[in-house]
Amino acid sequence: MVGLVVNPVAGLGGTAGLKGSDGAEVQRAALAAGATPRSGERAARAVRALLAARPGVRLVTVPGAMGEDSARAAGASPGLVRLARPAAPTTTAADTRAAVLALRDVDLLLFAGGDGTARDVLDAVRELGGQAPPVLGVPAGVKVYSGCFAVGPAAAGELAGLWTSGATVEAEVVDLDEDRYRQGRVSPRLYGVLRVPAARTRLSGRKTGSAAAAPGTVEGIAREVVSRMRPGVPYILGPGATTQAVGRALGLATTLLGVDVVRDGRIVAADVAERELAGLAGGAVLVLSVIGGQGFVLGRGNQQISPRVLSRTGGLLVLATQQKLAALGGRPLLVDTGDEDTDRKLSGHVQVITGYRESTIYRMETT
């Protein structure tokens, strides 16, 4: 028996460039910027994969947007557990916790959301104590730094369907102050651990930073990128310390955790949302760094670079230090744009710039 809980507003701020979705004010701003909810559809992808992996599975969830809608969209006929207090149209952390408590009797609990949702799930698990089931995250948030998530929605569903041994491992839940994050200050802390199915290749792992890389290596990557830039061509710089080094090499103060557009040594647009970026992407070259520990190139923290934006660009430069690639242990780079056709087109071997006049060929796959 598999349970399902969906945070309907998870990931809402991603395409709007808001670097998170916590709080009603941020959610209103995201909707005003043209963002659309994405967690329900990603949960449905997980359920479809679950049904394919184990057709006879019993799926149990809560009514409405917190689970039932996604299950039915995937073709499931779920059992429903009613909440003592039905969730309001705009759900809160308390609703997530109540749903987890209501589904305490399942064998495995799938939850769709981001790091904030994982934190709420952990709070409920602590309340349940020894009665809590193992859990598995369906990544639907903006950042997804925690290690309790599968690499993608389909991987979550497949793992839930194939997991029969009962073996679990502890995975970290990372707490991040979104207000500080929006100011460019990344201050994650360990909030706790959750028990997840033991399947290392399908789990995303915790995001790690670039602090261990020698500064000269990152600056060398930046010099190489600048040497490849062509006059008149716009370059879209994704989030991260490595891409920010490209900005420094150009003499520009770019956004650490946002997406900027530069051309001919000048900033054309700073910290842009998807809507604005789509209008600037024609013929542009993407400059994206790899997320340490996880290997993501697209789909984590850079949802502004949507399938629509990608369809208008004219090239891709992937950046990573040799240490960051080595830490992946042979696992592929990953793309998770939310559109399966786009992800398939991006899959294959790509050149990764690892230093000045240094590069390597590395495999990139869909989740």
Side-chain angles (χ1 to χ4, degrees), residues 43-256:
R45 285 179 60 188
V47 173
R48 283 193 289 271
L50 168 64
L51 297 176
R54 182 171 288 191
V57 68
R58 181 184 175 196
L59 184 67
V60 184
T61 187
V62 293
M66 291 194 67
E68 179 187 8
D69 295 349
S70 296
R72 295 196 186 283
S77 299
L80 296 180
V81 175
R82 304 286 174 179
L83 300 178
R85 181 182 71 86
T90 302
T91 60
T92 66
D95 294 314
T96 299
R97 293 193 294 269
V100 174
L101 295 175
L103 294 169
R104 70 184 69 193
D105 294 326
V106 300
D107 298 306
L108 176 67
L109 177 67
L110 287 175
F111 70 92
D115 292 319
T117 311
R119 188 177 62 235
D120 299 334
V121 170
L122 177 54
D123 286 340
V125 165
R126 285 171 170 164
E127 187 174 339
L128 288 171
Q131 298 179 359
V135 306
L136 180 62
V138 179
V142 176
K143 303 171 295 297
V144 193
Y145 278 17
S146 302
C148 54
F149 292 88
V151 293
E158 290 168 3
L159 175 54
L162 297 174
W163 182 65
T164 57
S165 68
T168 61
V169 294
E170 290 187 339
E172 296 175 334
V173 175
V174 175
D175 185 27
L176 197 66
D177 186 321
E178 285 195 0
D179 290 332
R180 290 173 60 88
Y181 187 81
R182 291 187 184 98
Q183 298 167 12
R185 293 180 290 174
V186 184
S187 53
R189 68 181 180 91
L190 178 63
Y191 191 71
V193 296
L194 286 167
R195 284 191 303 124
V196 300
R200 181 66 191 93
T201 59
R202 294 170 186 253
L203 297 175
S204 66
R206 178 179 173 180
K207 188 265 185 190
T208 59
S210 303
T217 305
V218 174
E219 299 305 327
I221 291 173
R223 287 174 57 207
E224 178 62 20
V225 173
V226 170
S227 74
R228 297 188 184 198
M229 288 183 165
R230 305 188 303 276
V233 176
Y235 289 81
I236 298 172
L237 304 184
T242 308
T243 47
Q244 190 179 47
V246 175
R248 286 198 303 271
L250 291 167
L252 304 174
T254 54
T255 311
L256 174 63

Side-chain angles (χ1 to χ4, degrees), residues 272-289:
V272 291
E274 192 272 349
R275 182 185 290 175
E276 181 182 3
L277 188 59
L280 298 169
V285 175
L286 286 165
V287 182
L288 303 176
S289 60

